[in-house]
mmCIF file of all heavy atoms in Angstrom:
data_model
loop_
_atom_site.group_PDB
_atom_site.id
_atom_site.type_symbol
_atom_site.label_atom_id
_atom_site.label_comp_id
_atom_site.label_asym_id
_atom_site.label_seq_id
_atom_site.Cartn_x
_atom_site.Cartn_y
_atom_site.Cartn_z
ATOM 1 N N PHE A 30 1.141 9.336 -16.330
ATOM 2 C CA PHE A 30 1.614 9.650 -14.973
ATOM 3 C C PHE A 30 0.550 9.694 -13.950
ATOM 4 O O PHE A 30 0.690 9.068 -12.812
ATOM 5 C CB PHE A 30 2.325 11.055 -15.031
ATOM 6 C CG PHE A 30 2.833 11.498 -13.724
ATOM 7 C CD1 PHE A 30 4.171 11.185 -13.293
ATOM 8 C CD2 PHE A 30 2.062 12.202 -12.823
ATOM 9 C CE1 PHE A 30 4.673 11.590 -12.060
ATOM 10 C CE2 PHE A 30 2.556 12.642 -11.633
ATOM 11 C CZ PHE A 30 3.911 12.323 -11.182
ATOM 12 N N ASP A 31 -0.648 10.334 -14.209
ATOM 13 C CA ASP A 31 -1.672 10.447 -13.301
ATOM 14 C C ASP A 31 -2.307 9.213 -12.834
ATOM 15 O O ASP A 31 -2.480 8.903 -11.655
ATOM 16 C CB ASP A 31 -2.755 11.347 -13.801
ATOM 17 C CG ASP A 31 -2.307 12.843 -13.937
ATOM 18 O OD1 ASP A 31 -1.328 13.157 -13.285
ATOM 19 O OD2 ASP A 31 -2.848 13.508 -14.811
ATOM 20 N N SER A 32 -2.521 8.287 -13.803
ATOM 21 C CA SER A 32 -3.044 6.984 -13.420
ATOM 22 C C SER A 32 -2.150 6.111 -12.653
ATOM 23 O O SER A 32 -2.469 5.377 -11.780
ATOM 24 C CB SER A 32 -3.513 6.257 -14.736
ATOM 25 O OG SER A 32 -4.637 6.885 -15.372
ATOM 26 N N SER A 33 -0.783 6.182 -13.156
ATOM 27 C CA SER A 33 0.166 5.411 -12.410
ATOM 28 C C SER A 33 0.354 5.854 -10.977
ATOM 29 O O SER A 33 0.388 5.014 -10.119
ATOM 30 C CB SER A 33 1.543 5.653 -13.144
ATOM 31 O OG SER A 33 2.580 4.885 -12.461
ATOM 32 N N LYS A 34 0.445 7.126 -10.698
ATOM 33 C CA LYS A 34 0.555 7.619 -9.329
ATOM 34 C C LYS A 34 -0.731 7.230 -8.509
ATOM 35 O O LYS A 34 -0.618 6.987 -7.362
ATOM 36 C CB LYS A 34 0.756 9.105 -9.306
ATOM 37 C CG LYS A 34 1.203 9.639 -7.890
ATOM 38 C CD LYS A 34 1.505 11.089 -7.984
ATOM 39 C CE LYS A 34 1.954 11.502 -6.582
ATOM 40 N NZ LYS A 34 2.275 12.953 -6.524
ATOM 41 N N TYR A 35 -1.841 7.263 -9.170
ATOM 42 C CA TYR A 35 -3.035 6.997 -8.480
ATOM 43 C C TYR A 35 -3.070 5.610 -7.986
ATOM 44 O O TYR A 35 -3.332 5.386 -6.760
ATOM 45 C CB TYR A 35 -4.276 7.114 -9.432
ATOM 46 C CG TYR A 35 -5.623 6.666 -8.956
ATOM 47 C CD1 TYR A 35 -6.378 7.362 -8.056
ATOM 48 C CD2 TYR A 35 -6.121 5.346 -9.329
ATOM 49 C CE1 TYR A 35 -7.567 6.859 -7.607
ATOM 50 C CE2 TYR A 35 -7.288 4.893 -8.936
ATOM 51 C CZ TYR A 35 -8.109 5.626 -7.976
ATOM 52 O OH TYR A 35 -9.200 5.139 -7.482
ATOM 53 N N TYR A 36 -2.743 4.616 -8.769
ATOM 54 C CA TYR A 36 -2.713 3.218 -8.381
ATOM 55 C C TYR A 36 -1.551 2.933 -7.394
ATOM 56 O O TYR A 36 -1.719 2.208 -6.423
ATOM 57 C CB TYR A 36 -2.596 2.290 -9.555
ATOM 58 C CG TYR A 36 -3.854 2.133 -10.294
ATOM 59 C CD1 TYR A 36 -4.097 2.837 -11.529
ATOM 60 C CD2 TYR A 36 -5.006 1.471 -9.711
ATOM 61 C CE1 TYR A 36 -5.338 2.644 -12.222
ATOM 62 C CE2 TYR A 36 -6.214 1.282 -10.420
ATOM 63 C CZ TYR A 36 -6.334 1.951 -11.607
ATOM 64 O OH TYR A 36 -7.634 1.766 -12.307
ATOM 65 N N LEU A 37 -0.318 3.523 -7.602
ATOM 66 C CA LEU A 37 0.764 3.304 -6.703
ATOM 67 C C LEU A 37 0.393 3.848 -5.300
ATOM 68 O O LEU A 37 0.790 3.267 -4.342
ATOM 69 C CB LEU A 37 2.016 3.946 -7.338
ATOM 70 C CG LEU A 37 2.671 3.201 -8.492
ATOM 71 C CD1 LEU A 37 3.752 4.043 -9.084
ATOM 72 C CD2 LEU A 37 3.080 1.797 -8.203
ATOM 73 N N SER A 38 -0.243 4.937 -5.270
ATOM 74 C CA SER A 38 -0.718 5.548 -3.971
ATOM 75 C C SER A 38 -1.686 4.735 -3.271
ATOM 76 O O SER A 38 -1.539 4.538 -1.993
ATOM 77 C CB SER A 38 -1.258 7.023 -4.200
ATOM 78 O OG SER A 38 -0.230 7.881 -4.735
ATOM 79 N N LYS A 39 -2.599 4.090 -3.991
ATOM 80 C CA LYS A 39 -3.517 3.156 -3.386
ATOM 81 C C LYS A 39 -2.819 1.894 -2.852
ATOM 82 O O LYS A 39 -3.168 1.419 -1.777
ATOM 83 C CB LYS A 39 -4.643 2.742 -4.363
ATOM 84 C CG LYS A 39 -5.592 3.889 -4.748
ATOM 85 C CD LYS A 39 -6.511 3.557 -5.821
ATOM 86 C CE LYS A 39 -7.668 2.589 -5.237
ATOM 87 N NZ LYS A 39 -8.669 3.234 -4.343
ATOM 88 N N ALA A 40 -1.793 1.491 -3.542
ATOM 89 C CA ALA A 40 -0.992 0.414 -3.080
ATOM 90 C C ALA A 40 -0.309 0.692 -1.747
ATOM 91 O O ALA A 40 -0.206 -0.131 -0.743
ATOM 92 C CB ALA A 40 0.015 -0.099 -4.113
ATOM 93 N N LEU A 41 0.273 1.909 -1.676
ATOM 94 C CA LEU A 41 0.926 2.398 -0.440
ATOM 95 C C LEU A 41 0.055 2.376 0.713
ATOM 96 O O LEU A 41 0.484 1.991 1.878
ATOM 97 C CB LEU A 41 1.530 3.838 -0.648
ATOM 98 C CG LEU A 41 2.841 4.038 -1.428
ATOM 99 C CD1 LEU A 41 3.209 5.502 -1.522
ATOM 100 C CD2 LEU A 41 3.886 3.207 -0.848
ATOM 101 N N ILE A 42 -1.212 2.849 0.621
ATOM 102 C CA ILE A 42 -2.155 2.966 1.696
ATOM 103 C C ILE A 42 -2.439 1.536 2.280
ATOM 104 O O ILE A 42 -2.398 1.384 3.537
ATOM 105 C CB ILE A 42 -3.497 3.558 1.202
ATOM 106 C CG1 ILE A 42 -3.273 5.071 0.876
ATOM 107 C CG2 ILE A 42 -4.576 3.419 2.318
ATOM 108 C CD1 ILE A 42 -4.484 5.667 0.173
ATOM 109 N N ILE A 43 -2.675 0.555 1.405
ATOM 110 C CA ILE A 43 -3.003 -0.837 1.904
ATOM 111 C C ILE A 43 -1.727 -1.387 2.519
ATOM 112 O O ILE A 43 -1.712 -1.976 3.566
ATOM 113 C CB ILE A 43 -3.413 -1.661 0.737
ATOM 114 C CG1 ILE A 43 -4.769 -1.167 0.191
ATOM 115 C CG2 ILE A 43 -3.530 -3.225 1.234
ATOM 116 C CD1 ILE A 43 -5.247 -1.939 -0.931
ATOM 117 N N ARG A 44 -0.534 -1.310 1.896
ATOM 118 C CA ARG A 44 0.666 -1.822 2.449
ATOM 119 C C ARG A 44 1.113 -1.172 3.768
ATOM 120 O O ARG A 44 1.654 -1.834 4.579
ATOM 121 C CB ARG A 44 1.791 -1.670 1.436
ATOM 122 C CG ARG A 44 1.562 -2.793 0.278
ATOM 123 C CD ARG A 44 2.515 -2.633 -0.864
ATOM 124 N NE ARG A 44 2.375 -3.838 -1.776
ATOM 125 C CZ ARG A 44 2.795 -3.953 -2.922
ATOM 126 N NH1 ARG A 44 3.402 -2.881 -3.495
ATOM 127 N NH2 ARG A 44 2.626 -5.069 -3.667
ATOM 128 N N ALA A 45 0.837 0.089 3.846
ATOM 129 C CA ALA A 45 1.103 0.778 5.211
ATOM 130 C C ALA A 45 0.315 0.120 6.325
ATOM 131 O O ALA A 45 0.730 -0.034 7.401
ATOM 132 C CB ALA A 45 0.845 2.264 5.138
ATOM 133 N N ALA A 46 -1.017 -0.219 6.041
ATOM 134 C CA ALA A 46 -1.821 -0.881 7.028
ATOM 135 C C ALA A 46 -1.322 -2.347 7.291
ATOM 136 O O ALA A 46 -1.291 -2.736 8.510
ATOM 137 C CB ALA A 46 -3.281 -0.897 6.517
ATOM 138 N N LEU A 47 -0.835 -3.045 6.234
ATOM 139 C CA LEU A 47 -0.345 -4.369 6.474
ATOM 140 C C LEU A 47 0.925 -4.458 7.155
ATOM 141 O O LEU A 47 1.302 -5.414 7.869
ATOM 142 C CB LEU A 47 -0.200 -5.099 5.041
ATOM 143 C CG LEU A 47 -1.495 -5.382 4.282
ATOM 144 C CD1 LEU A 47 -1.174 -5.881 2.910
ATOM 145 C CD2 LEU A 47 -2.278 -6.397 5.072
ATOM 146 N N MET A 48 1.664 -3.397 7.125
ATOM 147 C CA MET A 48 2.977 -3.233 7.851
ATOM 148 C C MET A 48 2.779 -3.367 9.450
ATOM 149 O O MET A 48 3.711 -3.657 10.143
ATOM 150 C CB MET A 48 3.749 -1.968 7.463
ATOM 151 C CG MET A 48 4.305 -2.038 6.105
ATOM 152 S SD MET A 48 4.888 -0.377 5.477
ATOM 153 C CE MET A 48 6.238 0.018 6.702
ATOM 154 N N LYS A 49 1.650 -3.033 9.811
ATOM 155 C CA LYS A 49 1.255 -3.043 11.239
ATOM 156 C C LYS A 49 0.574 -4.378 11.699
ATOM 157 O O LYS A 49 0.179 -4.596 12.814
ATOM 158 C CB LYS A 49 0.212 -1.935 11.582
ATOM 159 C CG LYS A 49 0.778 -0.485 11.212
ATOM 160 C CD LYS A 49 -0.359 0.521 11.435
ATOM 161 C CE LYS A 49 0.174 1.917 11.027
ATOM 162 N NZ LYS A 49 -0.882 2.907 11.208
ATOM 163 N N SER A 50 0.519 -5.326 10.776
ATOM 164 C CA SER A 50 0.064 -6.688 11.071
ATOM 165 C C SER A 50 0.784 -7.315 12.331
ATOM 166 O O SER A 50 2.063 -7.224 12.447
ATOM 167 C CB SER A 50 0.148 -7.538 9.776
ATOM 168 O OG SER A 50 -0.286 -8.880 10.209
ATOM 169 N N LYS A 51 0.037 -8.099 13.073
ATOM 170 C CA LYS A 51 0.632 -8.829 14.160
ATOM 171 C C LYS A 51 1.410 -9.993 13.604
ATOM 172 O O LYS A 51 2.254 -10.584 14.286
ATOM 173 C CB LYS A 51 -0.431 -9.244 15.143
ATOM 174 C CG LYS A 51 -1.068 -8.141 15.838
ATOM 175 C CD LYS A 51 -2.147 -8.571 16.804
ATOM 176 C CE LYS A 51 -2.903 -7.472 17.614
ATOM 177 N NZ LYS A 51 -3.905 -7.916 18.512
ATOM 178 N N ASP A 52 1.093 -10.452 12.394
ATOM 179 C CA ASP A 52 1.797 -11.492 11.760
ATOM 180 C C ASP A 52 3.068 -10.943 11.304
ATOM 181 O O ASP A 52 3.094 -10.130 10.290
ATOM 182 C CB ASP A 52 0.947 -12.107 10.580
ATOM 183 C CG ASP A 52 1.553 -13.392 9.990
ATOM 184 O OD1 ASP A 52 2.856 -13.398 9.881
ATOM 185 O OD2 ASP A 52 0.874 -14.335 9.516
ATOM 186 N N LYS A 53 4.251 -11.314 11.822
ATOM 187 C CA LYS A 53 5.525 -10.658 11.465
ATOM 188 C C LYS A 53 5.885 -10.925 10.031
ATOM 189 O O LYS A 53 6.563 -10.089 9.323
ATOM 190 C CB LYS A 53 6.616 -11.299 12.394
ATOM 191 C CG LYS A 53 6.551 -10.839 13.806
ATOM 192 C CD LYS A 53 7.655 -11.349 14.688
ATOM 193 C CE LYS A 53 7.538 -10.768 16.069
ATOM 194 N NZ LYS A 53 8.678 -11.265 17.005
ATOM 195 N N SER A 54 5.556 -12.152 9.427
ATOM 196 C CA SER A 54 5.828 -12.399 8.057
ATOM 197 C C SER A 54 5.094 -11.497 7.125
ATOM 198 O O SER A 54 5.666 -11.013 6.136
ATOM 199 C CB SER A 54 5.678 -13.859 7.757
ATOM 200 O OG SER A 54 4.292 -14.153 7.890
ATOM 201 N N VAL A 55 3.826 -11.275 7.474
ATOM 202 C CA VAL A 55 3.012 -10.473 6.684
ATOM 203 C C VAL A 55 3.522 -8.987 6.769
ATOM 204 O O VAL A 55 3.622 -8.254 5.700
ATOM 205 C CB VAL A 55 1.531 -10.466 7.170
ATOM 206 C CG1 VAL A 55 0.713 -9.382 6.523
ATOM 207 C CG2 VAL A 55 0.907 -11.845 6.946
ATOM 208 N N ALA A 56 3.869 -8.511 7.943
ATOM 209 C CA ALA A 56 4.371 -7.164 8.200
ATOM 210 C C ALA A 56 5.678 -6.922 7.434
ATOM 211 O O ALA A 56 5.851 -5.901 6.794
ATOM 212 C CB ALA A 56 4.529 -6.931 9.650
#
């Protein structure tokens, strides 16, 4: 559980940033 949540949380951080991309397809 701990390792899984650790990696999934790191994925969320990066994807949250990419959601703000000016490239609409990327976002």
Side-chain angles (χ1 to χ4, degrees):
F30 180 89
D31 291 336
S32 292
S33 179
K34 191 175 181 182
Y35 170 79
Y36 283 108
L37 290 173
S38 297
K39 288 175 76 71
L41 281 182
I42 292 171
I43 297 176
R44 284 173 170 165
L47 291 173
M48 285 166 64
K49 300 175 184 178
S50 173
K51 294 180 180 180
D52 186 323
K53 291 184 178 180
S54 63
V55 170

